[in-house]
């Protein structure tokens, strides 16, 4: 008999009190992807492949190397980045392993990268990109999952505003390459160590003065982290947030100069942005430049298709040398949802270029697919000695442009029939020449 921890489905706010409750009865639900997770299957997965390859190429061309992080870290790594955030307090999948260590599945990527930086001390500037799943026990809905994938970059060791521009431009370029047009860049500056305390004081005073108008939860948050209140979507908080002081009125000269240079750099590259002085983002580590891309084609509750910013104090908080850093994370699922909503970056119609139909003995198909693949073509075939009709149907389903047909006659003549699956025109080509013939036709 199997046993299994059945945690209920309320999220894992109370993970440590979960218990082994009942032996698992293998019902239908057990063999489905857990709530809030999903399979990515062909043909849709082809879009993932292309998206990731495109991003990898762009990041590599900009000097970012691939970082492959662990899927889980010591709990403290993430606790450090969001002690007052929902992501860490309420949504983290944390657990004790068999050795009694407290670990957590990564809810986001930046903390892992900074932990790696502090651990390995690479020379700076250190620029890395990543693609990894993140785990948040959120209430699942369209565009909000318990496991989602992010593409991202992090650059540590430079405070140069041009680096902020480079990072934002990399993400803007990705959206552009996907064909997305209804995307807005929201930009803010959260200030530096000099400006931040003055702003927090003003914000705290404002929320104190309007405490009775705030929701109970925001009243509590205001006491510990008033910035977080700006993130509240609760209707009772809206007016108080709208009248709150804005961070850009409290910037030190140095912070303002930095922000001006970021803005002029973006303008120089022709990247449009909107100032969003109440954009605070959902993690505690942000300083200075922060940004988010909103897809207007998506429902506003889940329209953030990527975001990031500076976290100039994080490396030091993790025991490393004071090291500025900046990066972004962009949700793959959300980017693809935005593409669907705009009708761009569609699933490629063809799985393969060539489909080989062998109604003799299968060996011709074995050889031909092998040779076609070796010259760089995508080629597939049928198995199990199916009929000509069934193989033709399968060829059509793959979206191949060309079918190569080998029947008894072709086998005897030393030829292959090349059939254009678009026009249905056919010609006989010598077996010895057919691979080169098809390669020229397709490539
Ligand atoms: P984040 O805003 O929490 O930032 O997540 C980045 C992106 O991941 C979001 O804009 C969204 O596209 C996607 N995303 C987040 N949560 C979910 C979810 N539950 N389901 C689907 N997609 C989701 C970070 O995680 C930071 N580490 C970004 C960063 C990197 N900042 C500096 N460097």
């Amino acid at each position: 008999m199997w046993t299994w921890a059945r945690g209920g489905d309320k999220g894992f706010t109370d993970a440590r009190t979960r218990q082994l409750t009942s032996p698992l009865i293998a019902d239908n639900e057990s063999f489905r992807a857990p709530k809030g997770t999903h399979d990515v299957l062909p043909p849709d997965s082809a879009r993932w492949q292309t998206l990731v390859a495109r991003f990898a190429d762009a990041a590599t061309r900009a000097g970012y190397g691939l970082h492959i992080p662990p899927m889980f870290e010591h709990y403290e790594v993430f606790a450090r980045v969001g002690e007052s955030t929902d992501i860490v307090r309420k949504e983290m999948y944390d657990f004790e392993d068999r050795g009694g260590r407290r670990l957590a599945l990564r809810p986001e990527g930046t903390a892992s990268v900074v932990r790696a930086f502090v651990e390995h001390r690479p020379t700076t500037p250190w620029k890395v990109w990543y693609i990894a799943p993140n785990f948040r026990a959120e209430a699942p809905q369209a565009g909000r999952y318990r496991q989602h994938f992010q593409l991202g970059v992090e650059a540590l060791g430079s405070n140069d505003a041009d680096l902020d521009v480079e990072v934002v431009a990399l993400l803007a370029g990705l959206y552009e390459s996907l064909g997305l047009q209804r995307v807005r860049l929201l930009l803010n500056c959260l200030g530096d160590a000099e400006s931040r305390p003055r702003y927090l004081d003003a914000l705290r005073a404002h929320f104190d003065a309007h405490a009775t108008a705030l929701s109970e939860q925001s009243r509590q948050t205001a006491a510990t982290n008033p910035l977080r209140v700006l993130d509240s979507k609760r209707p009772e908080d809206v007016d108080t947030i709208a009248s709150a002081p804005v961070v850009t009125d409290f910037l030190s000269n140095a912070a303002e100069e930095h922000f001006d240079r970021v803005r002029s750099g973006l303008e120089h590259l022709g990247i449009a942005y909107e100032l969003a002085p109440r954009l605070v983002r959902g993690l505690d580590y942000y300083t200075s430049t922060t940004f988010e891309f909103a897809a207007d084609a998506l429902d506003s509750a889940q329209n953030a298709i990527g975001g990031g910013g500076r976290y100039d104090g994080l490396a030091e908080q993790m025991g490393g040398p004071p090291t500025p850093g900046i990066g972004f994370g962009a949700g793959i699922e959300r980017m693809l949802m935005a593409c669907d909503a705009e009708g761009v970056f569609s699933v490629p119609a063809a799985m393969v270029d060539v489909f080989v139909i062998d109604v003799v003995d299968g060996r011709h198909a074995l050889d031909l697919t092998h040779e076609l693949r070796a010259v760089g073509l995508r080629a597939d075939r049928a198995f199990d000695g199916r009929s000509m009709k069934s193989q033709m149907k399968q060829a059509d389903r793959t979206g191949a442009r060309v079918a190569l047909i080998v029947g008894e006659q072709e086998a005897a003549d030393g030829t292959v029939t090349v059939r254009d699956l678009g026009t249905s025109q056919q010609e006989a080509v010598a077996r010895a020449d057919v691979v080169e013939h098809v390669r020229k036709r397709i490539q």
Side-chain angles (χ1 to χ4, degrees):
M1 185 170 59
W2 311 356
T3 56
W4 194 268
R6 308 216 62 178
D9 222 348
K10 295 192 288 292
F12 293 115
T13 44
D14 209 1
R16 280 153 302 285
T17 62
R18 261 185 304 140
Q19 292 178 347
L20 286 178
T21 48
S22 60
L24 177 72
I25 296 163
D27 52 22
N28 287 340
E29 206 189 310
S30 306
F31 298 110
R32 301 178 74 95
K35 197 169 175 186
T37 72
H38 53 269
D39 299 296
V40 185
L41 303 173
D44 204 46
S45 51
R47 296 207 294 174
W48 280 61
Q49 244 177 307
T50 310
L51 176 60
V52 175
R54 207 169 274 185
F55 179 67
D57 189 41
T60 307
R61 274 185 282 124
Y64 292 74
L66 174 64
H67 175 223
I68 304 176
M71 214 81 85
F72 54 86
E73 299 270 357
H74 291 289
Y75 173 82
E76 292 72 21
V77 171
F78 300 118
R80 199 47 59 87
V81 304
E83 243 139 6
S84 68
T85 68
D86 284 356
I87 295 176
V88 169
R89 282 178 47 221
K90 299 189 185 158
E91 298 166 0
M92 205 146 74
Y93 286 89
D94 59 316
F95 58 97
E96 233 177 57
D97 76 357
R98 286 159 196 263
R101 284 167 287 258
R102 192 168 176 199
L103 302 171
L105 297 186
R106 41 177 295 149
E108 65 101 45
T110 311
S112 284
V113 174
V114 176
R115 191 270 309 140
F117 174 82
V118 169
E119 183 174 340
H120 304 289
R121 305 283 166 104
T123 47
T124 56
W126 191 55
K127 305 206 300 185
V128 295
W129 72 273
Y130 51 85
I131 152 110
N134 298 288
F135 306 88
R136 299 179 186 179
E138 307 200 68
Q141 48 188 287
R144 192 171 289 280
Y145 307 108
R146 289 184 174 172
Q147 174 181 307
H148 73 276
F149 280 79
Q150 281 184 30
L151 296 170
V153 302
E154 309 294 344
L156 284 109
S158 169
N159 194 29
D160 194 323
D162 282 2
L163 181 58
D164 305 28
V165 179
E166 173 178 297
V167 164
V168 174
L170 203 53
L171 188 51
L174 177 67
Y175 300 138
E176 197 183 332
S177 81
L178 299 177
L180 287 171
Q181 293 192 334
R182 299 180 55 206
V183 171
R184 280 177 301 123
L185 166 59
L186 309 174
L187 187 69
N188 194 16
C189 176
L190 291 179
D192 52 14
E194 189 189 329
S195 18
R196 182 74 75 96
R198 287 194 287 137
Y199 178 55
L200 290 183
D201 284 349
L203 210 49
R204 222 174 263 122
H206 174 79
F207 291 138
D208 276 354
H210 296 84
T212 50
L214 284 175
S215 64
E216 172 58 29
Q217 185 153 6
S218 288
R219 249 196 315 275
Q220 284 175 17
T221 313
T224 51
N225 190 346
L227 268 185
R228 276 268 72 71
V229 178
L230 297 179
D231 230 6
S232 161
K233 304 277 183 293
R234 281 176 285 274
E236 44 299 26
D237 296 334
V238 170
D239 289 344
T240 313
I241 291 173
S243 60
V246 292
V247 64
T248 35
D249 288 341
F250 293 80
L251 297 182
S252 65
N253 288 341
E256 198 160 324
E257 234 169 68
H258 183 94
F259 196 42
D260 283 348
R261 187 159 167 92
V262 173
R263 291 175 58 179
S264 66
L266 291 172
E267 285 155 23
H268 184 73
L269 293 184
I271 298 173
Y273 62 84
E274 291 171 22
L275 290 178
R278 291 196 175 80
L279 175 74
V280 286
R281 312 222 351 96
L283 291 146
D284 284 343
Y285 47 63
Y286 289 110
T287 56
S288 185
T289 311
T290 47
F291 58 93
E292 206 159 89
F293 283 88
D296 286 340
L298 294 181
D299 184 69
S300 66
Q302 261 78 245
N303 70 353
I305 54 170
R310 282 206 162 266
Y311 42 87
D312 292 341
L314 188 55
E316 204 176 353
Q317 281 173 36
M318 288 198 190
T323 312
I326 180 164
F328 66 72
I332 296 189
E333 295 86 352
R334 290 224 192 141
M335 283 190 275
L336 291 177
M337 279 173 71
C339 288
D340 288 341
E342 286 201 33
V344 296
F345 196 61
S346 47
V347 177
M351 304 275 292
V352 293
D353 305 308
V354 190
F355 197 88
V356 181
I357 295 172
D358 176 347
V359 283
V360 183
D361 59 1
R363 276 294 144 98
H364 300 277
L366 190 67
D367 284 340
L368 278 166
T369 47
H370 192 68
E371 290 172 36
L372 289 161
R373 291 166 188 164
V375 298
L377 291 171
R378 298 176 301 165
D380 203 359
R381 55 166 292 189
F383 294 98
D384 304 315
R386 293 178 180 250
S387 69
M388 175 75 170
K389 192 172 161 203
S390 154
Q391 293 196 42
M392 278 300 285
K393 258 196 194 159
Q394 200 178 336
D396 279 335
R397 269 203 306 273
T398 63
R401 275 168 59 189
V402 170
L404 298 188
I405 306 168
V406 185
E408 296 293 351
Q409 190 64 52
E410 285 89 350
D413 295 349
T415 61
V416 173
T417 296
V418 178
R419 181 183 173 93
D420 186 311
L421 289 171
T423 63
S424 301
Q425 279 181 348
Q426 300 196 163
E427 61 180 313
V429 176
R431 169 66 179 85
D433 302 332
V434 75
V435 171
E436 185 56 15
H437 174 92
V438 175
R439 192 185 65 76
K440 281 201 185 122
R441 193 164 163 156
I442 303 253
Q443 285 177 340

